[in-house]
Amino acid sequence: MQLLTKFETKSNRVKGVAFHPTRPWILSSLHNGSIQLWDYRMGTLLERFDEHVGPVRGVAFHPTQPLFVSGGDDQSVKVWSHKTRRCLYTLNGHFDYVRTVQFHHEQPWIASSSDDKTARIWNWQSRQLIAVLPGHENYVMSALFHPKDDLLITASMDATIRVWDLSGLKRSGGGPGSGFGGPGGPGGAANSALRAQHVIQQQILESPLVQRTIMGQADIFGFGDVVVKHILEGHHRGVNWAMFHPTLPLIVSCGDDYQVKVWRMNESRAWELDTCRGHYKNVSCAVFHPRADLILSNAEDKTLRVWDSNKRNLLQTFRRESDRYWILAAHPEINLFAAGHDSGLIVFKLERERPPHTIHHNQQLLYVKGGQIHSHDLATGSDSPRAAVRTGSSGSYLLPYRTLSYNGAERLALATSHNDSGTYEIYRMPADGSSALTDSTPVHKGSGAAAVWISRNRFAVLDSGKLSIQLKDLSNRTTKTIKQDIPVNHIFEGPGSSILIATQNTVSLYDTQQDSVIGSLPVGPIKYVSWSPDSSVVALIAKHTVTLATSNLRQICHIHETIRIKSGAWDASGVFLYTTLNHIKFLLPDAGADTGTIRTLDQPVYLTQIRGRDVHCLDREGKTRVIAIDPTEYQFKLALARRQYDQVVSIVRSAGLVGQSIIAYLQKKGFAEIAMHFVKDPAARFDLALACANLDVALEAAKSLDNEDHWLRLAREATNAGNSAIAELALQRTQNTDKLAFQYIINGSVGKLKRMMRVAEKQGDQETRFHAALLLGDVEERIKLLRENGQPQLAYMVAKTHGLDDVAAGILAAAGVAEDDVANAFPSNPKLLKPLTPKYALNGNAEQIDAPEANWPALNVSSSIFASAFARAASAAAPTAGAARSTAGAGAGAGAAAAGVSAAGSAMSRMALDDEADDAELGAGGWGDEDLGFGDEGAAGGAAGDDEFGLSGGDDDDELQLDLGSGWGGDDDDIMKQLDEDAASAAAAKVAETFVAPSPGVSEREQWARRSQLAVDHIAAGSYASAMALLNSQVGAVNFEPLRPLFNDIFEATSASYGGAPGLAPLPATIRRNTDSDTTASLPVQLHSAESCLEGLQQAYRAFTGGKLAEANTLFRSLLHRLLFVVVPDTASETGPRGKRSQAADEVLQMINICREYLAGLSLETARRGLPASAAARGLELAAYFTHSQLQGRHSQIALRSAMIQAFKHKNFLSASGFAQRLLDLAPPQATVEEAKKIQTVCARTSRDEVAVNYDGYNPFVVCSRSQTPIYRGSPKAECPLCKASYKPEFTGSVCDICLVAEIGAKATGLQVSNSH
């Protein structure tokens, strides 16, 4: 039998516990006066209540209302609301400690027991006391209602148990609103006398003068409402607890006589059935198991015991090392128990509730329920029992089956259990179509911890010792034995004749026919295994992790859950679904371990098979269930990962995938273009459009938002993309004249720059006006501006510098200054600075103002994958409408640009002169027409051509053809040349319209991170977050600050650059560790190698030998950190025949162990040297512990000599002699030998120690690296998952003092030093 811990707290002593009937909550009342409300599923503290004064001994939830009640040493009973998180009121009346409290399951009653020798019943609605139950002669330790009948049971330190009949109280009006003299009591003349009697009783009971009389004389006042039905006498000392069975007429009690007693009762009497003996101290509490014939008890002997309630024999004992138990509670609905002890509480269950089951041919579900093996057809839903299985003999308890394996060829079911230290049984199933049950006698049975079928005539059995696996035939005869070097936790079925062998730290796939290991994977203890339908991928399910691996156990991905994982199954598409306590989730192996939640669960279920939208599963009762799910989200993500873009488009069009999580996921994965189809918010749509370089959508969103920040971002992106029209529009909307002027000058739009200068003059914007004049090289305009603004000196200098002597003379004359007076104001050899004049304009004419801005030439690429997929989907759905949308889409760029230019003109009109209103529409005519300008659709272009070449006449094509063909000599060639230029310009515009920015490829660094499972490769790729996640899962790393310099060095070591052309930035490059020119197979250069680490180890050795402790400590810790990033070669020759680690990998692990031993030893020696002279005992202890560090021979001699000398100086002659002998065993130098022998000679005369120390050299131990005290063999300890340093359990969860990186006690898979090991 197993005690499975589900939740545990550390707190003050727990005196009371209570489960909530429906929510995953538990209350604990503490000896320090506090009440804690916990969520035991999530392991979180929800609330704390601190209104009691002194210890709180009892607590209970209401069955249906949001209430709970508590009682404590302050003699009060308090009623609380866990909804408002406050105390509602206090019930006062007891005169001593309140021991227990409980709500009635139907009536508005609260029962309380107290050290005042009474139990009391309160009406929590009227807040009145309605009954006092005197009669006990000592403390009343418990008072509990019957779960169904109108009975109450009390247990007292007077060694008696009383059963009280409450039916009279119920009939007399002890319901809602009743009380002793309360306003809501029984009404009417018939009850007036009863109310008066209750008032008198209340007053008398509350009088201290009669309390002693009440305690000694039961029913002296004639309480007819509550009467004693049974008095049980049998305990020899005080009774601490008594309670009713949930369904049977049984009572269990326990007391200070160390006994647990079972009683039976009927209407007339109650008698003792039997006594359970085994505790050797006071038994605190005992409860019935609500679903099994079991009794649970706990005591001050620090044990929790399980008894068979039929035979009353002890089944199992669970012991704590240092905590006494005080209280025990059973959940009213599910198989959970809680026990309070000296240092907290524990929530647990007995045995797993997972029904043993197996799937046969993906069609038939076989499972065990109620002593039968059932067959369930997953297609039709039909269910029938097929074979009976063994049940315990009358009155005996058998542990349930744990696993089930089925051989369809022979119709044999193989079931295993933990009975008798592990057994297996083989049952024959009836032929298909037969409805008869087979006999419950197994065909064969034997002992074994686990068993699975490996072929139609063989099965594998893990022996009870877990050090060998036996292969047996159908006659149960052993045909082969496979020896194991380390204990095996479990074996699981594998593909074909192979089996999965799971140890504490690894899982291996073993071929039983070839007698060889196919593959091995370092992973923590696993509980279940699930193979994909084609057996190409396996899911290894542990308590909190899922690891996916290939058929030869190469890890694909690894995920961690904070809540326990219960089961898992594969979808037909290759998605792994798994359940936690309250969710069904998915895991995508193709998308880099992406996970998500499909739906929530009320109760845990165990997945058996996934069929489309139906999840087939079993619940804890062994009932088959079908749960409907929506697979849209994981199908969508799977299609993205597999680049099935047509399916992605189909899901987008048909499904309602919404929410920020989907948008964030698409952005993270680089599919912002898809995300735009989910977003309606303009701000989010704008960001997504910029992310995927869709300027048309960004322009539309920017118009909706219309704020400066978005316009500036759009202008920047449009400029980078070479889209001058949108950039011009965005800058005009912001009225950013500086950037707009720069846009015009780089595009060669001199005419627009001139117009902007005139607008600035009209608006009085002198800065913009001067800036434009400077860019245009318009000297006259600059002189005019300077004179108008009172700067004649600057105006004169500009005129004189540019050779405008007449203008300069006019300025001097106007100022009344002679030319000689300013002759010295100029340098002797001035140089004229003139801006560059554009030679070519994108729109073809630098001086033309009304022409739209043309875009920069760009790469001509096809539409994006998603645009094509959406177009195909639209065409398939509606060909006619699709064609229209396609045409519109082809001209989208032109339309948007035209709209943008029009908007730009509108914005510019606010800056234009009144007499130039005709220039408002800069984009009139559009530049993105799809034809070449010869037909009717190009009328605007044709008109422009007529104006330019002087052609007149009608608009139709015939007249134009006639005029062109009449013969005009050389002019004809000029016209044709101009038309060719127009056609080329239109074609270029069309190409620019259809341009879609190519999606960015995968960089080489990103490929490193995708291809490798090594943290060092992720660091080289610049993916520090994923590297830290890998280190956390592999070695439990949580503190990365000491690794920061190494991270930066590794990244920089892979970076290089090539010098480019003068004036251009250097070209970046990466440095690889393999010479393959194919970037898809490259990996980053290795900065730290095993050879370089060996050199560092020798350097650290030299520092240690020289006694340079600080330097040695630094060198060893630096080496330990560098070993995290060593990569051993991925060569097949270095792998053993059975998949063992390579020699290079073993060297790395060995160096880690060396660093640990030296760092731990150095910490001991450093601490010893820092002690004051008065701490002689502690110094001797540390010196002795140092001698147990696993150092090199020469260094061990140093440690032993130091301990020997220290012990000899402090007259610990016995210890000094022992150290001397150990030193001599290492064959030290001759001088040291002589010194040791002299010390031995002196010590032989006085064989004793003067200073008592905590050191036992003959009892194997390791030293706790934080407390620096010994942890002897067999004592509990925690380890650092990286360096394996040992710690006492109380340091679990903190950072290791040796490596300064990993979390003590963290679960980790082990350091990975190559992608193949």
Side-chain angles (χ1 to χ4, degrees):
M1 181 177 293
Q2 285 184 307
L3 184 148
L4 304 175
T5 302
K6 297 299 177 183
F7 171 65
E8 189 168 4
T9 69
K10 297 294 183 182
S11 65
N12 202 278
R13 181 184 303 168
V14 174
K15 302 294 290 184
V17 292
F19 282 104
H20 193 281
T22 57
R23 297 185 179 183
W25 293 353
I26 187 169
L27 280 169
S28 64
S29 57
L30 308 185
H31 196 265
N32 63 3
S34 178
I35 302 172
Q36 295 178 342
L37 176 61
W38 294 88
D39 186 323
Y40 54 81
R41 274 193 187 177
M42 302 299 294
T44 56
L45 179 64
L46 301 179
E47 191 58 72
R48 187 185 183 99
F49 308 91
D50 295 304
E51 290 194 20
H52 276 284
V53 179
V56 185
R57 299 183 182 271
V59 68
F61 276 109
H62 192 281
T64 57
Q65 299 297 320
L67 303 174
F68 70 88
V69 61
S70 63
D73 285 6
D74 56 3
Q75 306 174 8
S76 66
V77 176
K78 293 181 180 289
V79 179
W80 310 73
S81 169
H82 60 69
K83 194 172 184 179
T84 61
R85 309 292 174 92
R86 65 183 183 89
C87 179
L88 300 179
Y89 52 87
T90 301
L91 302 174
N92 294 310
H94 281 293
F95 295 94
D96 210 332
Y97 299 165
V98 178
R99 292 283 180 174
T100 64
V101 288
Q102 187 191 26
F103 282 104
H104 193 274
H105 62 282
E106 289 181 350
Q107 300 296 324
W109 298 343
I110 295 173
S112 61
S113 64
S114 171
D115 286 1
D116 63 8
K117 306 178 185 178
T118 67
R120 303 191 180 216
I121 301 177
W122 315 77
N123 187 314
W124 60 265
Q125 290 182 344
S126 63
R127 308 183 185 182
Q128 298 293 326
L129 176 67
I130 59 175
V132 179
L133 283 60
H136 284 293
E137 298 177 355
N138 208 325
Y139 303 158
V140 181
M141 302 300 290
S142 69
L144 301 174
F145 290 113
H146 193 284
K148 295 181 180 178
D149 301 332
D150 295 324
L151 298 174
L152 179 78
I153 189 169
T154 58
S156 172
M157 293 302 290
D158 63 5
T160 65
I161 302 166
R162 296 193 173 211
V163 179
W164 306 78
D165 188 348
L166 306 180
S167 56
L169 180 64
K170 185 176 181 181
R171 290 193 301 269
S172 65
S178 65
F180 284 177
N191 292 323
S192 60
L194 181 61
R195 285 202 306 273
Q197 180 187 12
H198 285 175
V199 172
I200 294 172
Q201 292 173 354
Q202 172 83 359
Q203 294 172 351
I204 294 174
L205 288 172
E206 293 181 353
S207 172
L209 299 176
V210 299
Q211 284 299 314
R212 291 188 296 274
T213 307
I214 292 177
M215 305 315 166
Q217 302 180 31
D219 299 332
I220 191 172
F221 299 106
F223 288 113
D225 294 348
V226 180
V227 298
V228 177
K229 190 171 185 178
H230 305 297
I231 298 179
L232 310 180
E233 297 178 338
H235 282 280
H236 304 300
R237 299 178 66 181
V239 185
N240 290 316
W241 192 266
M243 71 173 296
F244 295 107
H245 192 282
T247 57
L248 300 176
L250 297 177
I251 295 171
V252 65
S253 63
C254 60
D256 289 353
D257 56 2
Y258 312 159
Q259 296 176 357
V260 177
K261 291 183 178 291
V262 182
W263 314 75
R264 182 177 287 274
M265 67 176 185
N266 56 25
E267 287 297 322
S268 59
R269 70 189 184 97
W271 64 98
E272 181 181 340
L273 283 180
D274 208 342
T275 300
C276 301
R277 295 178 174 86
H279 287 289
Y280 54 88
K281 284 192 178 181
N282 300 343
V283 185
S284 304
C285 192
V287 298
F288 286 106
H289 193 297
R291 300 187 180 188
D293 295 333
L294 300 174
I295 296 172
L296 285 78
S297 63
N298 59 13
E300 295 179 33
D301 61 5
K302 306 173 186 177
T303 65
L304 189 151
R305 300 175 186 253
V306 183
W307 314 81
D308 188 320
S309 62
N310 293 317
K311 290 187 173 182
R312 267 77 73 180
N313 62 321
L314 180 64
L315 297 178
Q316 189 64 269
T317 299
F318 304 103
R319 186 182 306 274
R320 292 188 72 86
E321 292 296 327
S322 58
D323 296 319
R324 297 168 295 175
Y325 284 104
W326 298 104
I327 190 64
L328 188 63
H331 196 287
E333 301 294 335
I334 58 179
N335 178 30
L336 279 181
F337 301 88
H341 51 77
D342 281 335
S343 59
L345 70 88
I346 178 176
V347 177
F348 64 94
K349 68 179 181 180
L350 299 177
E351 292 299 329
R352 294 189 303 176
E353 296 175 284
R354 175 189 175 99
H357 63 273
T358 185
I359 297 289
H360 180 55
H361 287 169
N362 291 325
Q363 180 69 27
Q364 183 183 16
L365 169 66
L366 297 167
Y367 64 97
V368 179
K369 177 186 176 184
Q372 296 174 335
I373 298 178
H374 289 247
S375 174
H376 179 81
D377 192 312
L378 294 169
T380 63
S382 61
D383 193 290
S384 61
R386 303 304 302 274
V389 296
R390 61 103 179 101
T391 56
S393 59
S394 177
S396 65
Y397 175 79
L398 286 180
L399 297 175
Y401 289 112
R402 293 178 64 84
T403 64
L404 185 67
S405 181
Y406 185 60
N407 181 351
E410 299 293 335
R411 293 182 286 106
L412 295 175
L414 177 59
T416 65
S417 71
H418 279 178
N419 286 298
D420 301 326
S421 300
T423 60
Y424 67 88
E425 297 163 1
I426 300 176
Y427 294 93
R428 186 171 297 279
M429 304 284 284
D432 294 339
S434 173
S435 59
L437 285 176
T438 59
D439 185 33
S440 61
T441 304
V443 177
H444 296 292
K445 63 180 180 180
S447 62
V452 293
W453 290 105
I454 57 176
S455 67
R456 62 174 297 167
N457 57 2
R458 291 197 307 167
F459 61 97
V461 177
L462 174 64
D463 73 343
S464 300
K466 298 188 175 182
L467 285 175
S468 67
I469 300 171
Q470 299 171 350
L471 304 186
K472 301 194 175 188
D473 58 18
L474 294 181
S475 63
N476 205 25
R477 181 174 57 87
T478 301
T479 60
K480 182 190 293 186
T481 300
I482 306 170
K483 297 292 184 180
Q484 298 296 312
D485 297 331
I486 58 176
V488 176
N489 290 352
H490 211 290
I491 58 174
F492 302 93
E493 293 180 353
S497 60
S498 62
I499 56 174
L500 277 171
I501 303 175
T503 66
Q504 189 70 15
N505 298 311
T506 60
V507 174
S508 301
L509 185 63
Y510 187 86
D511 191 324
T512 58
Q513 288 186 346
Q514 301 294 329
D515 194 23
S516 63
V517 175
I518 299 174
S520 181
L521 181 67
V523 66
I526 64 172
K527 298 170 64 178
Y528 317 112
V529 163
S530 178
W531 287 91
S532 62
D534 59 357
S535 297
S536 62
V537 184
V538 62
L540 308 174
I541 306 172
K543 187 176 182 179
H544 290 282
T545 63
V546 175
T547 303
L548 299 188
T550 60
S551 57
N552 59 353
L553 293 190
R554 292 289 299 273
Q555 181 173 315
I556 298 174
C557 61
H558 176 87
I559 59 112
H560 182 276
E561 289 283 347
T562 56
I563 302 178
R564 291 179 180 87
I565 300 171
K566 308 302 291 184
S567 65
W570 289 89
D571 181 80
S573 59
V575 178
F576 184 69
L577 274 64
Y578 62 97
T579 62
T580 63
L581 284 171
N582 45 15
H583 289 103
I584 299 178
K585 296 189 172 184
F586 66 83
L587 170 60
L588 299 179
D590 299 271
D594 277 337
T595 62
T597 300
I598 299 175
R599 61 166 295 165
T600 58
L601 297 170
D602 296 329
Q603 293 294 336
V605 296
Y606 305 92
L607 302 185
T608 57
Q609 195 175 64
I610 315 298
R611 288 176 167 248
R613 291 176 172 264
D614 293 333
V615 172
H616 295 261
C617 57
L618 290 167
D619 60 18
R620 284 176 165 170
E621 302 293 333
K623 299 177 182 177
T624 58
R625 294 176 57 186
V626 179
I627 301 176
I629 62 170
D630 183 4
T632 305
E633 181 181 349
Y634 72 73
Q635 287 178 351
F636 174 76
K637 293 180 178 180
L638 181 66
L640 277 178
R642 293 180 176 176
R643 302 185 181 276
Q644 297 170 345
Y645 299 122
D646 288 335
Q647 185 177 352
V648 170
V649 173
S650 175
I651 294 174
V652 169
R653 290 184 175 275
S654 60
L657 285 175
V658 294
Q660 293 298 322
S661 61
I662 287 291
I663 296 170
Y665 177 84
L666 290 169
Q667 284 185 286
K668 178 182 176 182
K669 295 298 181 180
F671 297 112
E673 187 174 357
I674 293 272
M676 284 195 301
H677 293 273
F678 296 96
V679 180
K680 302 301 180 185
D681 177 61
R685 194 171 174 81
F686 178 84
D687 293 334
L688 292 171
L690 291 187
C692 61
N694 193 327
L695 296 180
D696 295 335
V697 175
L699 176 61
E700 178 185 352
K703 289 179 179 177
S704 301
L705 297 167
D706 196 21
N707 64 65
E708 183 177 359
D709 179 63
H710 286 87
W711 283 119
L712 287 174
R713 289 175 58 194
L714 177 60
R716 182 170 59 252
E717 293 299 328
T719 301
N720 292 338
N723 195 319
S724 301
I726 294 180
E728 179 186 11
L729 167 62
L731 292 173
Q732 288 178 357
R733 286 294 181 91
T734 63
Q735 297 189 12
N736 192 319
T737 55
D738 291 342
K739 294 184 178 181
L740 188 60
F742 177 76
Q743 183 77 20
Y744 287 151
I745 201 65
I746 64 172
N747 290 341
S749 301
V750 176
K752 292 181 179 179
L753 189 57
K754 288 181 178 178
R755 188 179 66 177
M756 188 177 76
M757 185 175 65
R758 293 197 297 272
V759 171
E761 181 181 4
K762 181 68 175 179
Q763 293 183 345
D765 186 356
Q766 308 302 342
E767 183 179 355
T768 299
R769 179 183 170 192
F770 185 82
H771 187 202
L774 187 63
L775 291 175
L776 290 169
D778 192 338
V779 180
E780 291 82 0
E781 184 66 22
R782 275 185 279 166
I783 295 172
K784 177 182 177 183
L785 183 148
L786 291 171
R787 297 186 68 178
E788 290 175 356
N789 287 274
Q791 296 291 336
Q793 300 92 339
L794 293 178
Y796 172 76
M797 293 179 69
V798 171
K800 191 69 174 177
T801 303
H802 288 82
L804 301 179
D805 296 333
D806 295 340
V807 176
I811 295 173
L812 289 178
V817 178
E819 186 174 355
D820 295 337
D821 296 336
V822 295
N824 297 327
F826 292 95
S828 59
N829 188 21
K831 293 183 179 180
L832 184 62
L833 178 63
K834 295 184 65 177
L836 297 176
T837 303
K839 299 297 184 182
Y840 173 78
L842 284 180
N843 59 11
N845 189 345
E847 297 293 339
Q848 188 173 352
I849 296 177
D850 58 352
E853 285 290 338
N855 290 339
W856 288 87
L859 179 65
N860 184 20
V861 297
S862 60
S863 300
S864 68
I865 296 174
F866 292 113
S868 303
F870 276 109
R872 287 196 299 271
S875 300
T880 304
R885 283 192 296 271
S886 177
T887 304
V901 175
S902 177
S906 177
M908 181 65 89
S909 65
R910 296 192 296 269
M911 304 164 58
L913 297 173
D914 294 339
D915 56 356
E916 295 184 2
D918 292 339
D919 292 334
E921 294 189 7
L922 299 180
W927 55 269
D929 299 332
E930 295 188 2
D931 63 278
L932 297 180
F934 293 110
D936 293 337
E937 296 177 2
D946 289 350
D947 291 342
E948 184 174 353
F949 299 121
L951 297 176
S952 60
D955 290 336
D956 64 15
D957 295 340
D958 292 337
E959 291 185 10
L960 181 60
Q961 289 286 350
L962 178 63
D963 292 341
L964 290 176
S966 299
W968 289 90
D971 293 341
D972 196 28
D973 295 335
D974 295 338
I975 293 173
M976 294 306 297
K977 180 179 179 181
Q978 183 61 43
L979 289 175
D980 290 340
E981 292 176 357
D982 291 344
S985 178
K990 183 176 181 179
V991 168
E993 289 176 17
T994 59
F995 168 74
V996 176
S999 58
V1002 179
S1003 68
E1004 186 175 1
R1005 291 186 184 273
E1006 187 175 351
Q1007 290 178 16
W1008 292 346
R1010 292 185 180 182
R1011 189 179 305 114
S1012 176
Q1013 287 297 317
L1014 302 180
V1016 63
D1017 291 341
H1018 285 248
I1019 296 170
S1023 181
Y1024 285 13
S1026 62
M1028 289 189 285
L1030 283 172
L1031 289 174
N1032 177 265
S1033 64
Q1034 292 177 10
V1035 297
V1038 293
N1039 180 28
F1040 295 96
E1041 188 60 31
L1043 304 180
R1044 181 196 294 268
L1046 292 174
F1047 273 53
N1048 294 334
D1049 290 346
I1050 292 169
F1051 178 76
E1052 293 171 0
T1054 62
S1055 303
S1057 61
Y1058 298 104
L1064 297 180
L1067 302 176
T1070 57
I1071 305 176
R1072 308 169 187 167
R1073 68 169 174 261
N1074 51 355
T1075 58
D1076 195 339
S1077 60
D1078 183 8
T1079 58
T1080 61
S1082 69
L1083 287 171
V1085 68
Q1086 179 182 353
L1087 181 61
H1088 303 292
S1089 64
E1091 291 75 13
S1092 64
C1093 289
L1094 284 172
E1095 294 177 1
L1097 181 62
Q1098 295 302 322
Q1099 185 179 0
Y1101 281 160
R1102 287 191 291 272
F1104 186 94
T1105 304
K1108 302 174 182 178
L1109 301 190
E1111 181 181 349
N1113 189 76
T1114 301
L1115 290 172
F1116 277 113
R1117 183 163 288 120
S1118 174
L1119 175 61
L1120 178 59
H1121 292 167
R1122 282 187 288 151
L1123 288 168
L1124 285 171
F1125 309 113
V1126 172
V1127 181
V1128 302
D1130 280 335
T1131 56
S1133 61
E1134 291 187 352
T1135 304
R1138 295 194 176 185
K1140 296 182 179 179
R1141 288 194 303 265
S1142 68
Q1143 181 180 355
D1146 287 336
E1147 288 178 355
V1148 171
L1149 299 180
Q1150 185 178 359
M1151 281 192 281
I1152 291 177
N1153 293 333
I1154 291 173
C1155 291
R1156 176 197 67 234
E1157 292 297 327
Y1158 274 87
L1159 287 169
L1162 285 168
S1163 67
L1164 293 170
E1165 181 64 12
T1166 303
R1168 185 189 67 80
R1169 295 187 181 186
L1171 290 174
S1174 58
R1178 181 57 176 163
L1180 292 174
E1181 289 173 357
L1182 295 176
Y1185 300 155
F1186 187 22
T1187 65
H1188 289 263
S1189 297
Q1190 301 300 313
L1191 310 180
Q1192 298 296 312
R1194 172 64 177 145
H1195 297 157
S1196 293
Q1197 295 174 17
I1198 295 174
L1200 285 167
R1201 182 178 181 275
S1202 173
M1204 177 185 69
I1205 293 175
Q1206 292 296 320
F1208 185 76
K1209 283 182 178 179
H1210 292 86
K1211 299 182 180 181
N1212 275 26
F1213 300 120
L1214 186 62
S1215 298
S1217 179
F1219 293 137
Q1221 185 58 49
R1222 289 173 57 192
L1223 179 59
L1224 291 172
D1225 292 340
L1226 295 179
Q1230 186 60 35
T1232 306
V1233 170
E1234 294 175 359
E1235 181 183 36
K1237 288 183 177 180
K1238 289 180 181 178
I1239 289 178
Q1240 275 189 324
T1241 302
V1242 175
C1243 293
R1245 303 170 190 165
T1246 311
S1247 184
R1248 68 173 184 274
D1249 288 342
E1250 294 292 336
V1251 181
V1253 295
N1254 179 22
Y1255 171 67
D1256 182 1
Y1258 299 100
N1259 190 359
F1261 68 88
V1262 294
V1263 179
C1264 173
S1265 296
R1266 178 161 299 172
S1267 65
Q1268 294 182 333
T1269 55
I1271 305 173
Y1272 291 100
R1273 180 180 295 174
S1275 301
K1277 68 175 182 177
E1279 284 189 347
C1280 169
L1282 168 56
C1283 65
K1284 306 303 181 185
S1286 299
Y1287 293 89
K1288 291 188 174 180
E1290 56 262 31
F1291 300 124
T1292 300
S1294 57
V1295 177
C1296 173
D1297 292 339
I1298 300 300
C1299 65
L1300 304 181
V1301 170
E1303 177 186 346
I1304 300 171
K1307 298 295 183 182
T1309 60
L1311 180 62
Q1312 190 167 345
V1313 294
S1314 76
N1315 285 308
S1316 63
H1317 300 136

